Amino acid sequence: MLGLLFSAGLYALVGIYEGIAVRMASGRALYAIAFRTAIISNPIGRAIGLALVSGGALRYRMYATVGLSAREVATVVVIAAMPYFFSVGWLIDLSLLLNAETAAQALRLSTGTVLLLGAIGLAKDIGWLTFVIRRKTPLVIRGQTLPVPTFRDTSLQLIIGLAQISLMTGILYVFMPPELNMSWPAFIAIYCIAFVAGQLSSVPAGLGVLEAALLLMLPQVPPSKLLGAVLAYRAVYEFLPLLIALGLLLIFESTSASGVLRRRLLRR
């Protein structure tokens, strides 16, 4: 039940921020539509792989029906990804620096390489935050004006992203057996390293790679119990939301004026 509550809270947070992203990109308050779109596009995009592309295509499909342009949808995709991108960046870079030997084993790199990657990443994180604080005018690239987020917006994105990561890791943490013998904050660092391994593999949802990385970094946990915990995590965080997303997408395509299923039914 706690895992389900964490998952529901995570997706609720994602849906709420999607509404904020739509308002920032288009100036329109479409919170209900944005919430539904986030609940559909995130699980399906993660299951397909290349979530920004596949999830972005779903977003365009759904937002186009309410008049958002391709540029506005692209902006929504970027803004919606920022909390996760920034917060994961900070957590991963700190995890690499503070757990270099463990990360080196999981990523199959030398400890020196891991420390170098962590230092570069942390410099990037601090550099971006400094840029946001000091830059007061928009960027102009090839005649296109790109607004720079304010420090307030960046802080909000970091807070929301950290809450997302905490809930995500919390889902797996509550399923872990007592042999884990590790605090939640310490487990977040382990999860972030395993997450990097999964992303480097380009496997949808890091299937198999996340499990292998966790097995390497948590030798004290019996493999059968660890794999059982990850299976429960995937069921609550990925499989169940995917079923809900597919159901909502089916409803959309059946009831929307431009829905594929609706058009076919009307032709009959």
Side-chain angles (χ1 to χ4, degrees), residues 9-215:
L10 171 61
Y11 281 100
L13 192 62
V14 169
I16 291 170
Y17 185 72
E18 181 92 6
I20 297 174
V22 170
R23 180 178 54 79
M24 291 173 66
S26 66
R28 300 170 62 184
L30 303 171
Y31 292 104
I33 293 173
F35 191 94
R36 179 191 63 183
T37 301
I39 298 303
I40 291 174
S41 61
N42 279 274
I44 295 178
R46 196 164 47 249
I48 294 174
L50 297 174
L52 281 179
V53 178
S54 53
L58 279 170
R59 282 185 171 95
Y60 180 73
R61 171 81 183 93
M62 303 182 74
Y63 285 135
T65 62
V66 292
L68 266 66
S69 66
R71 182 176 180 179
E72 288 173 333
V73 174
T75 305
V76 170
V77 171
V78 172
I79 294 175
M82 281 182 175
Y84 192 74
F85 177 77
F86 290 146
S87 58
V88 165
W90 278 95
L91 289 173
I92 286 175
D93 298 331
L94 289 172
S95 297
L96 292 178
L97 290 172
L98 298 177
N99 303 273
E101 292 184 3
T102 302
Q105 182 183 14
L107 301 176
R108 299 183 182 277
L109 299 172
S110 67
T111 303
T113 301
V114 169
L115 288 171
L116 178 61
L117 291 174
I120 293 173
L122 191 60
K124 173 261 298 178
D125 299 328
I126 296 173
W128 172 252
L129 195 59
T130 303
F131 175 77
V132 166
I133 293 172
R134 301 188 63 178
R135 182 81 181 194
K136 303 300 181 183
T137 57
L139 292 173
V140 179
I141 301 176
R142 294 183 178 181
Q144 298 292 324
T145 301
L146 301 176
V148 177
T150 64
F151 178 70
R152 177 185 175 186
D153 290 339
T154 303
S155 300
L156 175 64
Q157 290 165 354
L158 280 171
I159 291 170
I160 290 177
L162 290 172
Q164 290 178 7
I165 299 299
S166 297
L167 289 170
M168 188 187 307
T169 54
I171 298 170
L172 179 55
Y173 186 76
V174 298
F175 289 126
M176 294 298 289
E179 289 88 344
L180 177 65
N181 194 27
M182 183 181 293
S183 66
W184 188 358
F187 183 72
I188 291 176
I190 296 295
Y191 179 92
C192 286
I193 295 170
F195 173 85
V196 173
Q199 292 301 301
L200 291 176
S201 69
S202 298
V203 176
L207 190 62
V209 182
L210 176 68
E211 289 84 346
L214 290 174
L215 284 170

Side-chain angles (χ1 to χ4, degrees), residues 4 7-8 11 36-49 51 54-55 58 204-205 207 233-251:
L4 287 171
S7 183
Y11 281 100
R36 179 191 63 183
T37 301
I39 298 303
I40 291 174
S41 61
N42 279 274
I44 295 178
R46 196 164 47 249
I48 294 174
S54 53
L58 279 170
L207 190 62
Y233 158 81
R234 289 195 181 279
V236 169
Y237 172 58
E238 295 172 355
F239 185 66
L240 182 59
L242 178 61
L243 291 180
I244 294 173
L246 291 173
L248 291 174
L249 182 60
L250 182 63
I251 293 172

